[in-house]
Amino acid sequence: MTVSRPPALLTVLLWIVLEAVAAWQVRTPEGAPLLVTWIRAIVQPVTWSAQQIGHLTNDIGLGTIDLQRVIVDNRSLRLEVERLSARNLLLEEDLAALRDATGLLDDSVGFSNGAVIARCTFRDLAAGFMEVRTASVVYLPRDTPAITAGGLVGRVVRSEGSRHWLQLITHGAAAAAVQTPDSRVQGLVVGTGDDTLTIAYVPRQALLEKGEVLFTSGGDGIFPPGIAAASVVRVRETNDPFLEIGAAPTADLRSTRIIMLLPLWSAASGGETE
């Protein structure tokens, strides 16, 4: 005959129940059932762990909030640094422009009577145009000469309030009468449509050397005499009656900031301002 054994789990449960009943009947020196002491001993670590987990969760939450605040503050500081850097660049640009204006006034005493100072706001060297702005609204007649500390820039072709457009000396349709400082060689500086110039109508027998600077002669009726205009880059003889001369503007059209406009210049007055 086979004797059936109770399942092991049922045996364990029965044993636990008997132990609990016995522990309930046994008293501690404080008078509390031993079973209560066991339950406390079991529950206390769990409660402590739950409390620690709660504290940790709270610390993580506070740390996350602080981290978000740090990220926001860091972003604000980065934006402030960028703003200050941009402002510093503008101040440096204004300072450089002020130095350019001071140098231009010092070097152009003979043309400063009635002159108008403008600042370059846009340039298109490929098209041969430049936009400048004056501090106030001013009327500039067409063909008003424009110069800078380095020399001739071009002439006004359009004027609207405080905005004015210049045709650069390098423009394909630009030209100016020029000569050497001693007037021994005269010619016509002509724009080529890029950043170079040519000197036309200089006789073959004329003596010109590389690096020699030509100045406006006033013979074109637009530009006053005595303004540096072109520096000779190359001289080549041809079969034509005139030399083939390449030149470059003396003015730095790529980086010039301050322009002096001469609205009172009049060739009819013999090279004097009106």
Side-chain angles (χ1 to χ4, degrees):
M1 183 177 62
T2 303
V3 179
S4 61
R5 296 182 179 180
L9 180 59
L10 183 59
T11 303
V12 172
L13 290 176
L14 182 60
W15 176 79
I16 292 175
V17 171
L18 293 176
E19 288 290 333
V21 171
W24 178 261
Q25 294 176 352
V26 177
R27 301 290 175 171
T28 62
E30 292 79 11
L34 182 59
L35 180 60
V36 174
T37 304
W38 286 1
I39 293 175
R40 289 177 181 173
I42 295 172
V43 172
Q44 186 174 6
V46 176
T47 304
W48 180 85
S49 299
Q51 291 175 348
Q52 297 304 313
I53 292 174
H55 293 325
L56 180 60
T57 303
N58 185 57
D59 292 341
I60 292 175
L62 293 176
T64 302
I65 295 174
D66 291 341
L67 179 59
Q68 291 175 346
R69 290 176 180 172
V70 170
I71 293 174
V72 171
D73 292 342
N74 185 55
R75 184 180 296 111
S76 299
L77 289 175
R78 185 165 60 250
L79 292 175
E80 181 67 15
V81 169
E82 292 177 355
R83 187 184 68 82
L84 291 176
S85 298
R87 183 178 180 183
N88 184 55
L89 290 176
L90 291 176
L91 290 176
E92 290 179 356
E93 181 68 17
D94 289 341
L95 182 59
L98 181 61
R99 287 197 297 264
D100 290 350
T102 302
L104 178 57
L105 290 173
D106 292 340
D107 296 340
S108 308
V109 176
F111 309 111
S112 59
N113 185 24
V116 177
I117 297 297
R119 183 166 181 170
C120 175
T121 54
F122 175 78
R123 72 192 83 205
D124 187 345
L125 300 181
F129 286 98
M130 178 183 292
E131 180 185 335
V132 299
R133 295 199 179 192
T134 51
S136 59
V137 175
V138 60
Y139 169 72
L140 296 175
R142 185 179 176 85
D143 292 338
T144 294
I147 64 176
T148 189
L152 184 62
V153 174
R155 64 187 181 92
V156 174
V157 293
R158 187 169 139 208
S159 178
E160 294 180 359
S162 61
R163 300 175 63 188
H164 317 279
W165 289 264
L166 310 179
Q167 181 193 72
L168 301 179
I169 191 62
T170 54
H171 189 278
V178 293
Q179 62 184 10
T180 54
D182 56 7
S183 302
R184 59 182 172 79
V185 178
Q186 296 185 346
L188 190 69
V189 61
V190 180
T192 61
D194 52 26
D195 58 352
T196 62
L197 303 169
T198 60
I199 310 298
Y201 307 119
V202 176
R204 291 180 59 185
Q205 64 271 21
L207 298 178
L208 275 181
E209 297 181 356
K210 181 179 179 180
E212 192 163 0
V213 176
L214 301 179
F215 295 79
T216 54
S217 65
D220 49 40
I222 296 178
F223 304 106
I227 300 174
S231 177
V232 176
V233 174
R234 67 179 185 279
V235 179
R236 189 169 73 90
E237 292 187 4
T238 65
N239 295 327
D240 298 329
F242 305 105
L243 294 173
E244 183 180 294
I245 304 173
T250 57
D252 186 0
L253 302 179
R254 293 182 178 275
S255 62
T256 186
R257 303 177 183 86
I258 301 300
I259 305 295
M260 178 181 285
L261 305 169
L262 310 176
L264 300 184
W265 160 254
S266 172
S269 63
E272 302 292 336
T273 54
E274 293 179 345

